Structure formats: C-alpha cells, structure tokens
Amino acid sequence: MKKQIVILLTALLITSLSYSEALKLQSPGKNLEIEVEVTDYVSWSLFMDGEKVMGPSTISLTLEREGVLGRDTRVRRVTRQSENQIINTPVYRKSEVINHYNQMTVELRDGLGIVFRVYDDGAAYRLTTSFRRDIVILDEEVNMVFPTHEKAWVPYIVPREFDPYSTSFESTYDLLTLDEVVADSLIIMPLLVEAGKNRKIVITEVDLEDYPGMFLTVNNERTGYSARFAPYPLAEERGGHNNLQSIVTKRAEYIAKSEGRRNFPWRAVAVSNKDVELLDNDLVARLASPNRIGDLSWIKPGKVAWDWWNYLNIYNVDFRAGVNTETYKYYIDFAAEYGIEYVILDEGWSEQESLLQIKPYIDLEGIIKHAKDRGVGIILWAGWLPLNQEMDEVMRVYSAMGVAGYKIDFMDRDDQPVVNFYYKVAEMAAKYQQLVNFHGSYKPTGLQFTYPNVITFEGVYGLENVKWTDYLDMPEYDVTIPFIRALAGPMDYTPGAMINSNRWNWRAMHATPMSQGTRCHQLAMYIVYESPLSMMADNPTHYKREHESTRFIASIPTVFDQTVALDGVLGEYVAIARRNGKNWYVGAMTNWDEREITIDFSFLGEGEYDAVIFRDGINADRNGQDYVREVKRVDKGTTMTVNMSTGGGWAASIKRR
C-alpha cells in the first residue's frame, strides 16, 4: 500500500525526576485531547470537546524478571510527532484512507515506552520495550474508566467447558449498566459504551501480533473495565469438534514470552457524537501495520457459493446430493451461470486427521478442473489443527493443484501461540498466492491490512446460528453489529437466505434453514456488511428459483472505492452507500420495527442514474419473501422515502445513464 507522507517531528527532553503537570496531546481538529500523568503510576484520560469521557485509566506492564513497569518511575523523554498521509487500501470499503494524527511518545526510566496517538475520531496507545534479552510477560494492566457510563452493549464470552478462554467469539449483546455487568465475566471486544450525551466509545485492539488477545471484565470498583488475557498454554491435547481442535489442558502463570525489543498491540478507542459516525470509522486501518506482501494484483475479492449452511440440500437433480463430486460440479455450474467467483468445499472433503487425505468420493482434481474451465475458483475448508501440523505441504500441494484459498475453522482461541498461527498462515498463504478466510476466529485486529490476502473473518453471530438458535432478535443484532463489530474489520456473516420469515413464523431448522426478517433485509446485507469474500449461503436450487434476487446479489461488488454513512441509530436501523467505480450501491436495514426513512442521493455525481431498487412488499410483514423490484431515475438532488417492513430492508444498485 503506497503511502504519501507529510511528517512534522519535534522532540522534547524531560530531565526532571518528576513531572507534576499532565502531558497533553490534542487531535488535529482539537476536538479530542489526551492527558497523561506520571506520578506513582502512569494514567491517561480522554477528553471530548473539553469534557472528560474516559479516565484516569492506569497503565503498567508486569515482567517476570524486570518487575512492574510503569510504577514509581519517572519520565525520561517525551517525543512529539504529527503525520498526515494517505494509505492506499484496495481490499477495503474505500480505496484510500486519510491517516491524520498527532502522536506523543513517553519514555520512562524503567524501560517502558508508551506511544499515544490521537485522531479526530479516536485515540490509541501502545507499549514498547527495548530490553536486549527476551522477556516473560506476566500481565499487562489495561483500564478503561468512564466518568459517565450510561450503558454498554456487552458481548459476553461463551466459553468452552474444557477451557474458560476457549470460545467461538460469537455473542449477541446485552444492554447493561456497569452495575449490571456480571463480575468476573469475560467480555469480547469490540465493546461499545455510551458515555453520556449520546457519545459512543468503542474499545478494541489493533496490531495484535506475537501476543494474546485482550478480553475485558468489569473492574472491582465498577468504574469501567480492565483487561484479561489468556495465559500461555503449557499442555494441549487433540479434541473438540470432530477432533480438529487443540484443547488446552494446562496454562502457565504468564501470558506471553517475547523478544525484549518490541511494540505491543494498540489499545484503541473509536469515538462519536452521532451513531452514524461509527459506520465509517477507519481507526483500525490507520493503526495496522502496513502491507508486507507487496504486489496485491493477484488478490481477487468476490462472492462464494457455500454448501454447509444449506446442507447441500439441492433438488430437482438426477444424482444423490451431498458431499460428493457431482454435487460440487452442480455448485460450480451455478456459480459460473451467475458470475460468482468462488465455490467453497466445506467440511467433509478430506479425512479429519489429514488435509492431504482426500475422501474417496471426492475427485478434487476433477472438481478444480471443472471450476477452472468455467472461470470459478475453489476454496477448501480446513480444520486449524490438521492445517497447523501440515501447513507447508498442504499449501504447496493444493496451490500447485489450483486451489484459490482456505476457510480455516475452529481455532476458538486467541492466546499467543494461536495468534502466531494466524500470522504464519497469512505469510505462507501469501507465498503461494492464496486467500484466507478465518472462521472460529477472534475479531479482526488489522491483519487484513498487513496481509491483505487474509480477506475476511468470522467472529460474529452470523446467519449460521439461525439453524439452531432460540434467539429471536436477529434483525436487531443485524443493525447493531455495523456500529460495533464491523468497526474492527470485515465480517463473514454469510448472508443470502432465500427463505425469509417474520418473527412469529420463524423456526430453527437445520436442513432447510430460514432467516429472521425479509428478503430485502438479506439483500441489503451485501452492501451494509463489509466482507471482501462474501458468502452466498443458500441452496443453488433456491437461488435459481429466485432469479431476480440472485442476479442482484451477484452484481454487488465486495470491495469499494468510497463509503458514505447515510443514516443510522445503534440497534434500530442503518443506511449506507458505497461506490465501486462509477456505480453506487445503497443498503438499508431495520430491526423488528417497521420504519420509514429518507434517502438523500446527494452523494451521487453529476448526471442522471438508473436505480434498480428492491423494497419490501406490502405483505412482507406476513411473508418475508414478499418484495418489489422497480427501476427509478435519480440524481444528486433526489430524496426518496423508504418504507421498511418489520425486520425489513431496502437495497439499490445505481448506475449512471
């Protein structure tokens, strides 16, 4: 990613043994300010428009040999820096990101450095150390204290019974005050806090490398949240889903072993005065380490026909449907007919013990040739433990065979070795020019910018859950995650259901699943949700029956040049416009409440456009599959009233005349 950089750098040497006044750092627009105090401990506070919204929050790092850094220390030096740059982001929801910030590095006499960075829409800090020998990290103190905490959208961890730090990272949100948060519970990030006056603060982390991921828990004083990290695994055994996972049976007293000279992950907060501002926040893109793989021209985003969600339950064919060669050739023919770039072979194509042992009823070479002849790529599902055991050979063999990439599943951990596994996969897949889709994964933390072949992540309570859940508020969740989970990065929600139901008729079904909400709610997801590799989850037989909807889905790009957040209220509704080339795409979704909103088309350029619109039909509240397709002429002066049914949506493809 080429960068155009303008840098102003100044340094200030602090020589006194103590520093009684706070060190201050303002954002470029001066609306945000960080204050750092170094007394008996180090703390920082964040101000919005002159009012404290976070802090004082203490910071320290506890090492096995060196002790607690950030306690009873003094400032050695403060360095300030300002930077304004453009980062090229070709596999993203926009082609360029403006990276304009002010930065302050505080170096302490005990060897700890803290880099503070502030933007107009967020702030972050990271620790640094410069020891010559390796270090053992016992703990990192991260606190997020809120003077005003009205409520938070809390995604509790759902732990596996064999290890409290093992989870799929798929959770719905509980809307809670601090007093209502369960003590000692683990919370998945991103976490959103409403900090008074409708101000929203989203907590996440960026540049997570060679280090465990961070969970949050309510602090003892109930003034905010503190960090918890999965301890380093000392003993593991094979188990879990289909024996594909490595189950931790013993953990250490420390969280990481590391080189002594390093940068630690960014502790980041995105801020907004209006909910809609969170829909297009680029904090993660700005903080992530830059592209390490160079040329990206071989990376091909797109749609993928997926077999697992629909249980390979095709019909009106003359062969037995299932995990077999004939079925996959049918999926490939469907993909080729509609211009869908990929087909995934989910679990079952290989033996459980080894990805190099192909099931006898799968002619993988024949499937790949059939796909190649039709311009379709093949992606293989992989359990993480078998892949980890044979990674180099698996990628070498299947790259030579023509496999485009992997969907890697069931890591269900974010301790240091598993985080390192992500980087190992990303680097090796890039070597073989293959894509990676992480499922059973923690939230994105910027790896998708460092290795852009890592094209999407799960880490979301997606459509797959309707196959078994008793949760009845998917439409509300669907219009919550664009403000919270999506801020961290792409999410493989796996939309595209063609059987659509209202709240009263919906049932969890495994073989013929249905969505909660309307058809147009599903169509809008392909615009509202960012995922450069976007699944089409339903049955090809259903898609062929629903030709209009399928053509529309297939026509929507998965990466964009520009994003405009049009409107939205957290948990209520969302409306987003995205541009790819000269064409625009607009998606809107609502919760279970019927809703009327106004779309302002002022984002369009000059001239007239034809908008192909899918809107909820008059009976969509009774039958979620009811929709209307219409074509209207629009220009930048157009405003349009959009009516969405209960659990409804609205989607448009807009092309210049």
Side-chain angles (χ1 to χ4, degrees):
M1 301 176 189
K2 183 180 178 182
K3 296 184 179 180
Q4 302 170 359
I5 305 175
V6 178
I7 303 176
L8 173 64
L9 182 65
T10 61
L12 173 65
L13 182 64
I14 307 296
T15 58
S16 61
L17 294 178
S18 63
Y19 203 82
S20 57
E21 296 182 3
L23 298 165
K24 297 184 179 182
L25 180 69
Q26 285 189 324
S27 66
K30 302 187 186 306
N31 59 306
L32 293 185
E33 184 176 56
I34 287 175
E35 288 190 359
V36 180
E37 293 186 288
V38 181
T39 54
D40 294 337
Y41 52 85
V42 180
S43 66
W44 74 294
S45 300
L46 179 66
F47 294 78
M48 293 180 65
D49 301 317
E51 185 175 344
K52 184 186 291 187
V53 293
M54 182 183 294
S57 301
T58 52
I59 298 170
S60 69
L61 185 69
T62 303
L63 306 182
E64 186 176 64
R65 287 187 296 263
E66 293 79 5
V68 181
L69 309 183
R71 289 286 185 270
D72 299 317
T73 186
R74 297 292 183 267
V75 173
R76 185 170 70 88
R77 182 169 56 198
V78 176
T79 305
R80 297 179 182 271
Q81 175 180 330
S82 296
E83 189 163 330
N84 192 358
Q85 63 182 180
I86 295 175
I87 307 173
N88 294 334
T89 50
V91 191
Y92 191 44
R93 60 175 182 254
K94 59 186 65 173
S95 58
E96 294 182 340
V97 168
I98 297 174
N99 190 27
H100 191 192
Y101 63 83
N102 292 327
Q103 182 171 295
M104 176 174 67
T105 301
V106 180
E107 298 178 42
L108 303 175
R109 292 186 178 276
D110 59 12
L112 184 66
I114 311 172
V115 182
F116 294 92
R117 188 177 290 184
V118 61
Y119 299 86
D120 288 337
D121 58 359
Y125 76 87
R126 75 186 318 170
L127 306 182
T128 68
T129 54
S130 55
F131 298 106
R132 293 182 179 180
R133 61 184 181 183
D134 290 349
I135 56 176
V136 177
I137 302 149
L138 301 182
D139 197 13
E140 179 188 347
E141 181 186 19
V142 182
N143 285 296
M144 301 291 179
V145 172
F146 295 93
T148 301
H149 180 297
E150 294 189 352
K151 51 192 172 182
W153 279 254
V154 178
Y156 286 122
I157 189 175
V158 181
R160 301 288 191 251
E161 61 182 14
F162 43 76
D163 178 23
Y165 292 96
S166 178
T167 178
S168 66
F169 300 92
E170 301 172 40
S171 298
T172 57
Y173 296 96
D174 291 324
L175 186 55
L176 304 171
T177 66
L178 266 175
D179 287 339
E180 294 171 327
V181 178
V182 177
D184 294 325
S185 61
L186 293 178
I187 299 168
I188 300 167
M189 293 192 300
L191 170 71
L192 185 146
V193 172
E194 185 169 319
K197 300 181 180 178
N198 200 40
R199 292 167 172 159
K200 304 295 197 305
I201 299 176
V202 179
I203 306 169
T204 192
E205 61 182 337
V206 186
D207 235 14
L208 175 62
E209 183 173 4
D210 193 28
Y211 202 72
M214 186 169 75
F215 298 100
L216 295 174
T217 188
V218 64
N219 63 24
N220 293 333
E221 299 78 18
R222 291 195 174 269
T223 57
Y225 305 90
S226 56
R228 292 263 293 275
F229 301 90
Y232 193 92
L234 293 177
E236 303 177 46
E237 62 183 28
R238 191 166 191 147
H241 173 77
N242 284 347
N243 219 29
L244 295 169
Q245 296 173 271
S246 187
I247 307 304
V248 177
T249 57
K250 183 179 180 181
R251 290 191 179 273
E253 296 296 320
Y254 55 88
I255 64 173
K257 290 183 174 181
S258 177
E259 294 181 357
R261 186 180 299 275
R262 64 163 298 170
N263 294 325
F264 290 79
W266 289 103
R267 309 308 176 197
V269 292
V271 301
S272 70
N273 286 300
K274 298 179 181 178
D275 291 5
V276 69
E277 295 168 355
L278 295 174
L279 298 174
D280 190 28
N281 185 292
D282 296 314
L283 189 61
V284 173
R286 298 173 186 139
L287 293 170
S289 289
N291 170 20
R292 293 179 186 172
I293 65 177
D295 175 39
L296 306 181
S297 62
W298 58 270
I299 296 176
K300 184 181 179 182
K303 304 287 190 331
V304 53
W306 183 34
D307 57 343
W308 181 87
W309 190 78
N310 56 77
Y311 200 58
L312 301 103
N313 202 11
I314 58 176
Y315 50 94
N316 294 336
V317 294
D318 59 1
F319 56 85
R320 181 69 173 174
V323 181
N324 56 51
T325 299
E326 293 82 359
T327 300
Y328 283 123
K329 287 184 176 180
Y330 181 90
Y331 277 75
I332 291 165
D333 292 342
F334 157 71
E337 179 182 353
Y338 286 92
I340 299 163
E341 290 83 357
Y342 299 99
V343 168
I344 189 168
L345 277 61
D346 212 285
E347 185 176 9
W349 66 271
S350 73
E351 299 292 346
Q352 293 178 9
E353 293 77 14
S354 173
L355 295 168
L356 295 168
Q357 298 177 21
I358 302 168
K359 290 289 182 66
Y361 43 79
I362 294 292
D363 176 10
L364 186 57
E365 290 191 14
I367 289 170
I368 293 170
K369 183 180 185 304
H370 189 79
K372 184 178 180 181
D373 291 345
R374 286 154 180 77
V376 176
I378 293 296
I379 293 173
L380 298 178
W381 184 93
W384 91 270
L385 181 58
L387 179 63
N388 194 36
Q389 293 171 335
E390 305 174 308
M391 189 184 304
D392 195 13
E393 188 175 4
V394 165
M395 292 189 178
R396 178 181 57 80
V397 168
Y398 291 128
S399 172
M401 199 179 289
V403 169
Y406 308 95
K407 173 185 173 182
I408 305 169
D409 210 347
F410 289 107
M411 289 75 70
D412 289 359
R413 288 163 41 195
D414 67 351
D415 49 41
Q416 186 184 24
V418 171
V419 169
N420 289 344
F421 166 81
Y422 279 60
Y423 278 82
K424 181 181 177 183
V425 167
E427 182 177 11
M428 191 166 293
K431 171 184 173 183
Y432 291 106
Q433 295 196 345
Q434 293 179 307
L435 305 178
V436 178
N437 173 3
F438 283 116
H439 267 236
S441 65
Y442 56 83
K443 77 280 176 190
T445 61
L447 180 62
Q448 67 274 21
F449 297 101
T450 310
Y451 290 92
N453 61 311
V454 177
I455 202 163
T456 196
F457 300 76
E458 192 183 25
V460 64
Y461 193 83
L463 189 69
E464 69 174 16
N465 287 278
V466 302
K467 289 167 69 75
W468 54 73
T469 188
D470 58 2
Y471 181 69
L472 292 176
D473 287 317
M474 288 299 294
E476 179 179 318
Y477 180 80
D478 296 341
V479 295
T480 300
I481 51 178
F483 301 87
I484 307 176
R485 163 60 182 83
L487 190 145
M491 53 185 188
D492 194 13
Y493 182 98
T494 67
M498 293 290 105
I499 303 175
N500 317 107
S501 180
N502 61 29
R503 190 170 194 164
W504 303 276
N505 295 331
W506 175 83
R507 298 291 184 274
M509 301 179 67
H510 187 75
T512 54
M514 65 183 75
S515 74
Q516 296 179 22
T518 70
R519 170 71 54 79
C520 291
H521 189 90
Q522 290 289 306
L523 299 184
M525 289 179 178
Y526 288 94
I527 302 165
V528 173
Y529 294 167
E530 178 199 353
S531 184
L533 186 69
S534 187
M535 300 279 181
M536 295 179 64
D538 214 328
N539 186 332
T541 312
H542 293 168
Y543 283 129
K544 289 184 176 185
R545 186 182 65 198
E546 299 290 345
H547 181 76
E548 281 186 337
S549 295
T550 305
R551 285 289 182 202
F552 181 77
I553 292 170
S555 73
I556 300 170
T558 60
V559 295
F560 299 89
D561 298 309
Q562 184 180 355
T563 288
V564 179
L566 299 176
D567 199 2
V569 175
L570 175 63
E572 296 184 14
Y573 68 97
V574 59
I576 292 177
R578 305 195 195 272
R579 178 179 62 83
N580 180 285
K582 296 180 180 180
N583 301 328
W584 283 89
Y585 304 85
V586 181
M589 301 157 60
T590 184
N591 56 15
W592 281 124
D593 295 334
E594 296 182 21
R595 195 174 307 277
E596 179 180 289
I597 65 172
T598 299
I599 299 292
D600 181 345
F601 288 83
S602 59
F603 55 83
L604 294 175
E606 297 295 333
E608 293 187 327
Y609 295 75
D610 288 325
V612 178
I613 296 169
F614 284 73
R615 60 178 174 84
D616 293 326
I618 194 171
N619 294 304
D621 61 326
R622 299 172 59 188
N623 186 330
Q625 290 157 219
D626 186 29
Y627 71 88
V628 175
R629 179 189 182 275
E630 57 190 5
V631 180
K632 291 188 175 182
R633 189 172 298 181
V634 297
D635 58 34
K636 67 178 184 179
T638 301
T639 58
M640 187 179 298
T641 300
V642 169
N643 293 287
M644 292 184 284
S645 184
T646 173
W650 187 93
S653 172
I654 306 169
K655 298 184 178 181
R656 191 163 183 172
R657 293 179 61 84

